[in-house]
Amino acid sequence: NPFGLDQTLTTGIVSGVGRDIKGITGRPIRGVVQTDAAINPGNSGGPLLDSQGKLIGVNTMILSPSGASSGVGFAVPADTVRRVVNQLIRHGKVIKPSLGVNCAADQQARQLGLSGVLVLSVVPGSGADKAGLQGVSKSAWGEVSLGDEIVQVNGEDVKSAEDIISVLELCEVGTLAKVTVRRKGTLIHLDVPLQARAE
């Protein structure tokens, strides 16, 4: 507790679930639990409990227009925490799965009239390479052919590289991701083995 008072408890209600908020790094945190329980400085990392004392989330941040410790609080759901903690225990770090592609900036894809994620290049030896995804290519005559446009991952529509990362965060390295791409106007369904993302 920021005031030096041990064993304190604040109460409130869960006022929303499945919210997306922007973290301090600028990356979105998806699927958070919204609460009006007071989250004071120093409370981040503390448990968000239901009325029976069961963990439902870990307090993360507060959205406060005044800058005071009043406003709307957010907690990372317990299922997400469990998945991350299990990886920390097993590997000593969080291992994030990857398709093995380098994507164009979302703005570039929109300028080309694409609604999905444009594959610029495929990492050699990656799951995407093994599954046959194609990046942008250039012929001997200088003609540029667009790469695959990823439109779905595991049944979820994707419109940005961030959308792909969010879907893959729910997956394990070594499993298959079901990826739908648009290639020269045709939808193609591919099973892509997920590998650890290079840090």
Side-chain angles (χ1 to χ4, degrees), residues 25-56:
T25 63
R27 276 203 64 221
I29 303 172
R30 300 191 188 269
V32 297
V33 179
Q34 178 181 307
T35 180
D36 72 347
I39 299 178
N40 297 304
N43 288 131
S44 292
L48 180 66
L49 306 171
D50 68 11
S51 59
Q52 292 154 359
K54 294 179 183 168
L55 177 72
I56 59 172

PDB file of all heavy atoms in Angstrom, residues 25-56:
ATOM      1  N   THR A  25       4.118   1.001 -22.901  1.00  0.00           N
ATOM      2  CA  THR A  25       5.040   0.864 -24.036  1.00  0.00           C
ATOM      3  C   THR A  25       4.371   1.242 -25.351  1.00  0.00           C
ATOM      4  O   THR A  25       5.039   1.305 -26.374  1.00  0.00           O
ATOM      5  CB  THR A  25       5.556  -0.585 -24.154  1.00  0.00           C
ATOM      6  OG1 THR A  25       4.436  -1.444 -24.412  1.00  0.00           O
ATOM      7  CG2 THR A  25       6.287  -1.022 -22.906  1.00  0.00           C
ATOM      8  N   GLY A  26       3.042   1.464 -25.305  1.00  0.00           N
ATOM      9  CA  GLY A  26       2.314   1.797 -26.527  1.00  0.00           C
ATOM     10  C   GLY A  26       1.623   0.595 -27.141  1.00  0.00           C
ATOM     11  O   GLY A  26       0.730   0.744 -27.963  1.00  0.00           O
ATOM     12  N   ARG A  27       2.028  -0.626 -26.758  1.00  0.00           N
ATOM     13  CA  ARG A  27       1.370  -1.833 -27.263  1.00  0.00           C
ATOM     14  C   ARG A  27       0.047  -2.028 -26.562  1.00  0.00           C
ATOM     15  O   ARG A  27      -0.066  -1.791 -25.370  1.00  0.00           O
ATOM     16  CB  ARG A  27       2.239  -3.068 -26.998  1.00  0.00           C
ATOM     17  CG  ARG A  27       3.286  -3.277 -28.056  1.00  0.00           C
ATOM     18  CD  ARG A  27       3.766  -4.714 -28.130  1.00  0.00           C
ATOM     19  NE  ARG A  27       2.705  -5.589 -28.531  1.00  0.00           N
ATOM     20  CZ  ARG A  27       2.507  -6.794 -27.996  1.00  0.00           C
ATOM     21  NH1 ARG A  27       3.275  -7.256 -27.051  1.00  0.00           N
ATOM     22  NH2 ARG A  27       1.534  -7.553 -28.412  1.00  0.00           N
ATOM     23  N   PRO A  28      -0.964  -2.505 -27.279  1.00  0.00           N
ATOM     24  CA  PRO A  28      -2.244  -2.743 -26.611  1.00  0.00           C
ATOM     25  C   PRO A  28      -2.167  -3.949 -25.678  1.00  0.00           C
ATOM     26  O   PRO A  28      -1.463  -4.911 -25.953  1.00  0.00           O
ATOM     27  CB  PRO A  28      -3.212  -2.998 -27.764  1.00  0.00           C
ATOM     28  CG  PRO A  28      -2.390  -3.312 -28.943  1.00  0.00           C
ATOM     29  CD  PRO A  28      -1.037  -2.743 -28.714  1.00  0.00           C
ATOM     30  N   ILE A  29      -2.892  -3.859 -24.579  1.00  0.00           N
ATOM     31  CA  ILE A  29      -3.091  -5.002 -23.693  1.00  0.00           C
ATOM     32  C   ILE A  29      -4.534  -5.412 -23.928  1.00  0.00           C
ATOM     33  O   ILE A  29      -5.455  -4.636 -23.697  1.00  0.00           O
ATOM     34  CB  ILE A  29      -2.859  -4.621 -22.219  1.00  0.00           C
ATOM     35  CG1 ILE A  29      -1.463  -4.036 -22.020  1.00  0.00           C
ATOM     36  CG2 ILE A  29      -3.063  -5.838 -21.325  1.00  0.00           C
ATOM     37  CD1 ILE A  29      -1.232  -3.456 -20.630  1.00  0.00           C
ATOM     38  N   ARG A  30      -4.728  -6.629 -24.403  1.00  0.00           N
ATOM     39  CA  ARG A  30      -6.065  -7.047 -24.821  1.00  0.00           C
ATOM     40  C   ARG A  30      -6.746  -7.908 -23.762  1.00  0.00           C
ATOM     41  O   ARG A  30      -6.104  -8.627 -23.029  1.00  0.00           O
ATOM     42  CB  ARG A  30      -5.983  -7.801 -26.144  1.00  0.00           C
ATOM     43  CG  ARG A  30      -5.392  -6.946 -27.264  1.00  0.00           C
ATOM     44  CD  ARG A  30      -5.555  -7.593 -28.619  1.00  0.00           C
ATOM     45  NE  ARG A  30      -4.835  -6.879 -29.647  1.00  0.00           N
ATOM     46  CZ  ARG A  30      -5.358  -5.902 -30.374  1.00  0.00           C
ATOM     47  NH1 ARG A  30      -6.577  -5.512 -30.165  1.00  0.00           N
ATOM     48  NH2 ARG A  30      -4.639  -5.309 -31.308  1.00  0.00           N
ATOM     49  N   GLY A  31      -8.058  -7.810 -23.737  1.00  0.00           N
ATOM     50  CA  GLY A  31      -8.864  -8.690 -22.902  1.00  0.00           C
ATOM     51  C   GLY A  31      -8.825  -8.401 -21.418  1.00  0.00           C
ATOM     52  O   GLY A  31      -9.067  -9.288 -20.611  1.00  0.00           O
ATOM     53  N   VAL A  32      -8.530  -7.160 -21.027  1.00  0.00           N
ATOM     54  CA  VAL A  32      -8.406  -6.857 -19.603  1.00  0.00           C
ATOM     55  C   VAL A  32      -9.782  -6.733 -18.932  1.00  0.00           C
ATOM     56  O   VAL A  32     -10.795  -6.543 -19.588  1.00  0.00           O
ATOM     57  CB  VAL A  32      -7.577  -5.573 -19.347  1.00  0.00           C
ATOM     58  CG1 VAL A  32      -6.154  -5.733 -19.823  1.00  0.00           C
ATOM     59  CG2 VAL A  32      -8.231  -4.362 -19.962  1.00  0.00           C
ATOM     60  N   VAL A  33      -9.762  -6.864 -17.609  1.00  0.00           N
ATOM     61  CA  VAL A  33     -10.956  -6.721 -16.781  1.00  0.00           C
ATOM     62  C   VAL A  33     -10.997  -5.279 -16.270  1.00  0.00           C
ATOM     63  O   VAL A  33     -10.008  -4.775 -15.761  1.00  0.00           O
ATOM     64  CB  VAL A  33     -10.896  -7.697 -15.584  1.00  0.00           C
ATOM     65  CG1 VAL A  33     -12.119  -7.533 -14.693  1.00  0.00           C
ATOM     66  CG2 VAL A  33     -10.763  -9.137 -16.064  1.00  0.00           C
ATOM     67  N   GLN A  34     -12.133  -4.629 -16.421  1.00  0.00           N
ATOM     68  CA  GLN A  34     -12.304  -3.245 -15.949  1.00  0.00           C
ATOM     69  C   GLN A  34     -13.015  -3.259 -14.605  1.00  0.00           C
ATOM     70  O   GLN A  34     -13.981  -4.005 -14.404  1.00  0.00           O
ATOM     71  CB  GLN A  34     -13.138  -2.473 -16.966  1.00  0.00           C
ATOM     72  CG  GLN A  34     -13.430  -1.045 -16.581  1.00  0.00           C
ATOM     73  CD  GLN A  34     -14.281  -0.367 -17.635  1.00  0.00           C
ATOM     74  OE1 GLN A  34     -13.942  -0.375 -18.804  1.00  0.00           O
ATOM     75  NE2 GLN A  34     -15.401   0.209 -17.213  1.00  0.00           N
ATOM     76  N   THR A  35     -12.529  -2.462 -13.663  1.00  0.00           N
ATOM     77  CA  THR A  35     -13.134  -2.395 -12.338  1.00  0.00           C
ATOM     78  C   THR A  35     -13.127  -0.959 -11.827  1.00  0.00           C
ATOM     79  O   THR A  35     -12.297  -0.158 -12.239  1.00  0.00           O
ATOM     80  CB  THR A  35     -12.387  -3.304 -11.332  1.00  0.00           C
ATOM     81  OG1 THR A  35     -13.013  -3.192 -10.052  1.00  0.00           O
ATOM     82  CG2 THR A  35     -10.920  -2.939 -11.213  1.00  0.00           C
ATOM     83  N   ASP A  36     -14.062  -0.671 -10.921  1.00  0.00           N
ATOM     84  CA  ASP A  36     -14.040   0.648 -10.286  1.00  0.00           C
ATOM     85  C   ASP A  36     -13.420   0.569  -8.890  1.00  0.00           C
ATOM     86  O   ASP A  36     -13.410   1.553  -8.160  1.00  0.00           O
ATOM     87  CB  ASP A  36     -15.436   1.276 -10.244  1.00  0.00           C
ATOM     88  CG  ASP A  36     -16.371   0.605  -9.248  1.00  0.00           C
ATOM     89  OD1 ASP A  36     -16.042  -0.496  -8.758  1.00  0.00           O
ATOM     90  OD2 ASP A  36     -17.438   1.168  -8.966  1.00  0.00           O
ATOM     91  N   ALA A  37     -12.883  -0.603  -8.504  1.00  0.00           N
ATOM     92  CA  ALA A  37     -12.153  -0.711  -7.231  1.00  0.00           C
ATOM     93  C   ALA A  37     -10.923   0.186  -7.322  1.00  0.00           C
ATOM     94  O   ALA A  37     -10.263   0.259  -8.358  1.00  0.00           O
ATOM     95  CB  ALA A  37     -11.729  -2.152  -6.979  1.00  0.00           C
ATOM     96  N   ALA A  38     -10.615   0.886  -6.239  1.00  0.00           N
ATOM     97  CA  ALA A  38      -9.492   1.827  -6.239  1.00  0.00           C
ATOM     98  C   ALA A  38      -8.175   1.087  -6.450  1.00  0.00           C
ATOM     99  O   ALA A  38      -7.886   0.104  -5.774  1.00  0.00           O
ATOM    100  CB  ALA A  38      -9.446   2.592  -4.921  1.00  0.00           C
ATOM    101  N   ILE A  39      -7.406   1.543  -7.423  1.00  0.00           N
ATOM    102  CA  ILE A  39      -6.056   1.027  -7.640  1.00  0.00           C
ATOM    103  C   ILE A  39      -5.116   2.204  -7.420  1.00  0.00           C
ATOM    104  O   ILE A  39      -4.996   3.089  -8.260  1.00  0.00           O
ATOM    105  CB  ILE A  39      -5.891   0.427  -9.055  1.00  0.00           C
ATOM    106  CG1 ILE A  39      -6.862  -0.736  -9.260  1.00  0.00           C
ATOM    107  CG2 ILE A  39      -4.448  -0.038  -9.261  1.00  0.00           C
ATOM    108  CD1 ILE A  39      -6.819  -1.357 -10.641  1.00  0.00           C
ATOM    109  N   ASN A  40      -4.493   2.221  -6.265  1.00  0.00           N
ATOM    110  CA  ASN A  40      -3.599   3.308  -5.883  1.00  0.00           C
ATOM    111  C   ASN A  40      -2.184   3.030  -6.372  1.00  0.00           C
ATOM    112  O   ASN A  40      -1.842   1.889  -6.697  1.00  0.00           O
ATOM    113  CB  ASN A  40      -3.584   3.463  -4.353  1.00  0.00           C
ATOM    114  CG  ASN A  40      -4.941   3.853  -3.824  1.00  0.00           C
ATOM    115  OD1 ASN A  40      -5.511   4.854  -4.231  1.00  0.00           O
ATOM    116  ND2 ASN A  40      -5.479   3.043  -2.923  1.00  0.00           N
ATOM    117  N   PRO A  41      -1.325   4.051  -6.420  1.00  0.00           N
ATOM    118  CA  PRO A  41       0.076   3.800  -6.769  1.00  0.00           C
ATOM    119  C   PRO A  41       0.647   2.746  -5.831  1.00  0.00           C
ATOM    120  O   PRO A  41       0.466   2.812  -4.623  1.00  0.00           O
ATOM    121  CB  PRO A  41       0.749   5.158  -6.543  1.00  0.00           C
ATOM    122  CG  PRO A  41      -0.354   6.148  -6.671  1.00  0.00           C
ATOM    123  CD  PRO A  41      -1.589   5.465  -6.153  1.00  0.00           C
ATOM    124  N   GLY A  42       1.279   1.755  -6.399  1.00  0.00           N
ATOM    125  CA  GLY A  42       1.836   0.673  -5.597  1.00  0.00           C
ATOM    126  C   GLY A  42       0.934  -0.548  -5.542  1.00  0.00           C
ATOM    127  O   GLY A  42       1.344  -1.613  -5.102  1.00  0.00           O
ATOM    128  N   ASN A  43      -0.324  -0.421  -6.032  1.00  0.00           N
ATOM    129  CA  ASN A  43      -1.232  -1.568  -6.045  1.00  0.00           C
ATOM    130  C   ASN A  43      -1.093  -2.422  -7.298  1.00  0.00           C
ATOM    131  O   ASN A  43      -1.629  -3.520  -7.355  1.00  0.00           O
ATOM    132  CB  ASN A  43      -2.697  -1.126  -5.941  1.00  0.00           C
ATOM    133  CG  ASN A  43      -3.071  -0.615  -4.576  1.00  0.00           C
ATOM    134  OD1 ASN A  43      -3.658   0.444  -4.466  1.00  0.00           O
ATOM    135  ND2 ASN A  43      -2.715  -1.349  -3.525  1.00  0.00           N
ATOM    136  N   SER A  44      -0.428  -1.925  -8.311  1.00  0.00           N
ATOM    137  CA  SER A  44      -0.253  -2.722  -9.524  1.00  0.00           C
ATOM    138  C   SER A  44       0.491  -3.991  -9.165  1.00  0.00           C
ATOM    139  O   SER A  44       1.439  -3.973  -8.390  1.00  0.00           O
ATOM    140  CB  SER A  44       0.529  -1.948 -10.582  1.00  0.00           C
ATOM    141  OG  SER A  44      -0.243  -0.881 -11.058  1.00  0.00           O
ATOM    142  N   GLY A  45       0.034  -5.090  -9.725  1.00  0.00           N
ATOM    143  CA  GLY A  45       0.619  -6.384  -9.401  1.00  0.00           C
ATOM    144  C   GLY A  45      -0.119  -7.083  -8.283  1.00  0.00           C
ATOM    145  O   GLY A  45       0.117  -8.256  -8.006  1.00  0.00           O
ATOM    146  N   GLY A  46      -1.067  -6.381  -7.646  1.00  0.00           N
ATOM    147  CA  GLY A  46      -1.872  -6.999  -6.601  1.00  0.00           C
ATOM    148  C   GLY A  46      -3.041  -7.752  -7.205  1.00  0.00           C
ATOM    149  O   GLY A  46      -3.421  -7.532  -8.356  1.00  0.00           O
ATOM    150  N   PRO A  47      -3.637  -8.661  -6.432  1.00  0.00           N
ATOM    151  CA  PRO A  47      -4.722  -9.478  -6.977  1.00  0.00           C
ATOM    152  C   PRO A  47      -6.048  -8.726  -7.066  1.00  0.00           C
ATOM    153  O   PRO A  47      -6.345  -7.871  -6.237  1.00  0.00           O
ATOM    154  CB  PRO A  47      -4.822 -10.619  -5.959  1.00  0.00           C
ATOM    155  CG  PRO A  47      -4.377 -10.011  -4.673  1.00  0.00           C
ATOM    156  CD  PRO A  47      -3.310  -9.015  -5.057  1.00  0.00           C
ATOM    157  N   LEU A  48      -6.827  -9.060  -8.077  1.00  0.00           N
ATOM    158  CA  LEU A  48      -8.222  -8.648  -8.178  1.00  0.00           C
ATOM    159  C   LEU A  48      -9.021  -9.909  -7.880  1.00  0.00           C
ATOM    160  O   LEU A  48      -8.904 -10.906  -8.607  1.00  0.00           O
ATOM    161  CB  LEU A  48      -8.542  -8.099  -9.570  1.00  0.00           C
ATOM    162  CG  LEU A  48      -9.983  -7.638  -9.797  1.00  0.00           C
ATOM    163  CD1 LEU A  48     -10.295  -6.421  -8.924  1.00  0.00           C
ATOM    164  CD2 LEU A  48     -10.216  -7.301 -11.261  1.00  0.00           C
ATOM    165  N   LEU A  49      -9.780  -9.888  -6.781  1.00  0.00           N
ATOM    166  CA  LEU A  49     -10.487 -11.074  -6.307  1.00  0.00           C
ATOM    167  C   LEU A  49     -11.984 -10.915  -6.506  1.00  0.00           C
ATOM    168  O   LEU A  49     -12.506  -9.801  -6.458  1.00  0.00           O
ATOM    169  CB  LEU A  49     -10.200 -11.290  -4.813  1.00  0.00           C
ATOM    170  CG  LEU A  49      -8.727 -11.349  -4.410  1.00  0.00           C
ATOM    171  CD1 LEU A  49      -8.601 -11.350  -2.895  1.00  0.00           C
ATOM    172  CD2 LEU A  49      -8.050 -12.564  -5.015  1.00  0.00           C
ATOM    173  N   ASP A  50     -12.679 -12.056  -6.688  1.00  0.00           N
ATOM    174  CA  ASP A  50     -14.137 -11.987  -6.720  1.00  0.00           C
ATOM    175  C   ASP A  50     -14.663 -12.065  -5.285  1.00  0.00           C
ATOM    176  O   ASP A  50     -13.877 -12.127  -4.321  1.00  0.00           O
ATOM    177  CB  ASP A  50     -14.727 -13.061  -7.632  1.00  0.00           C
ATOM    178  CG  ASP A  50     -14.546 -14.492  -7.129  1.00  0.00           C
ATOM    179  OD1 ASP A  50     -14.135 -14.684  -5.958  1.00  0.00           O
ATOM    180  OD2 ASP A  50     -14.822 -15.423  -7.912  1.00  0.00           O
ATOM    181  N   SER A  51     -15.975 -12.071  -5.114  1.00  0.00           N
ATOM    182  CA  SER A  51     -16.565 -12.023  -3.769  1.00  0.00           C
ATOM    183  C   SER A  51     -16.302 -13.295  -2.966  1.00  0.00           C
ATOM    184  O   SER A  51     -16.493 -13.299  -1.745  1.00  0.00           O
ATOM    185  CB  SER A  51     -18.075 -11.758  -3.857  1.00  0.00           C
ATOM    186  OG  SER A  51     -18.698 -12.777  -4.612  1.00  0.00           O
ATOM    187  N   GLN A  52     -15.844 -14.363  -3.623  1.00  0.00           N
ATOM    188  CA  GLN A  52     -15.509 -15.598  -2.915  1.00  0.00           C
ATOM    189  C   GLN A  52     -14.011 -15.741  -2.692  1.00  0.00           C
ATOM    190  O   GLN A  52     -13.543 -16.784  -2.247  1.00  0.00           O
ATOM    191  CB  GLN A  52     -16.058 -16.797  -3.694  1.00  0.00           C
ATOM    192  CG  GLN A  52     -17.576 -16.820  -3.671  1.00  0.00           C
ATOM    193  CD  GLN A  52     -18.169 -17.525  -4.865  1.00  0.00           C
ATOM    194  OE1 GLN A  52     -17.467 -17.990  -5.747  1.00  0.00           O
ATOM    195  NE2 GLN A  52     -19.486 -17.592  -4.895  1.00  0.00           N
ATOM    196  N   GLY A  53     -13.253 -14.704  -3.014  1.00  0.00           N
ATOM    197  CA  GLY A  53     -11.811 -14.730  -2.785  1.00  0.00           C
ATOM    198  C   GLY A  53     -11.015 -15.411  -3.874  1.00  0.00           C
ATOM    199  O   GLY A  53      -9.823 -15.664  -3.709  1.00  0.00           O
ATOM    200  N   LYS A  54     -11.624 -15.705  -5.016  1.00  0.00           N
ATOM    201  CA  LYS A  54     -10.920 -16.345  -6.131  1.00  0.00           C
ATOM    202  C   LYS A  54     -10.255 -15.280  -6.993  1.00  0.00           C
ATOM    203  O   LYS A  54     -10.847 -14.224  -7.265  1.00  0.00           O
ATOM    204  CB  LYS A  54     -11.883 -17.165  -6.987  1.00  0.00           C
ATOM    205  CG  LYS A  54     -12.473 -18.353  -6.253  1.00  0.00           C
ATOM    206  CD  LYS A  54     -13.425 -19.102  -7.150  1.00  0.00           C
ATOM    207  CE  LYS A  54     -14.076 -20.241  -6.380  1.00  0.00           C
ATOM    208  NZ  LYS A  54     -15.208 -20.803  -7.118  1.00  0.00           N
ATOM    209  N   LEU A  55      -9.049 -15.581  -7.448  1.00  0.00           N
ATOM    210  CA  LEU A  55      -8.302 -14.654  -8.298  1.00  0.00           C
ATOM    211  C   LEU A  55      -8.966 -14.555  -9.664  1.00  0.00           C
ATOM    212  O   LEU A  55      -9.186 -15.569 -10.328  1.00  0.00           O
ATOM    213  CB  LEU A  55      -6.856 -15.131  -8.457  1.00  0.00           C
ATOM    214  CG  LEU A  55      -5.982 -14.290  -9.384  1.00  0.00           C
ATOM    215  CD1 LEU A  55      -5.655 -12.959  -8.726  1.00  0.00           C
ATOM    216  CD2 LEU A  55      -4.705 -15.037  -9.738  1.00  0.00           C
ATOM    217  N   ILE A  56      -9.291 -13.330 -10.076  1.00  0.00           N
ATOM    218  CA  ILE A  56      -9.828 -13.134 -11.428  1.00  0.00           C
ATOM    219  C   ILE A  56      -8.905 -12.275 -12.285  1.00  0.00           C
ATOM    220  O   ILE A  56      -9.085 -12.190 -13.495  1.00  0.00           O
ATOM    221  CB  ILE A  56     -11.253 -12.545 -11.417  1.00  0.00           C
ATOM    222  CG1 ILE A  56     -11.301 -11.198 -10.701  1.00  0.00           C
ATOM    223  CG2 ILE A  56     -12.227 -13.517 -10.799  1.00  0.00           C
ATOM    224  CD1 ILE A  56     -12.641 -10.492 -10.823  1.00  0.00           C
TER     225      ILE A  56
END
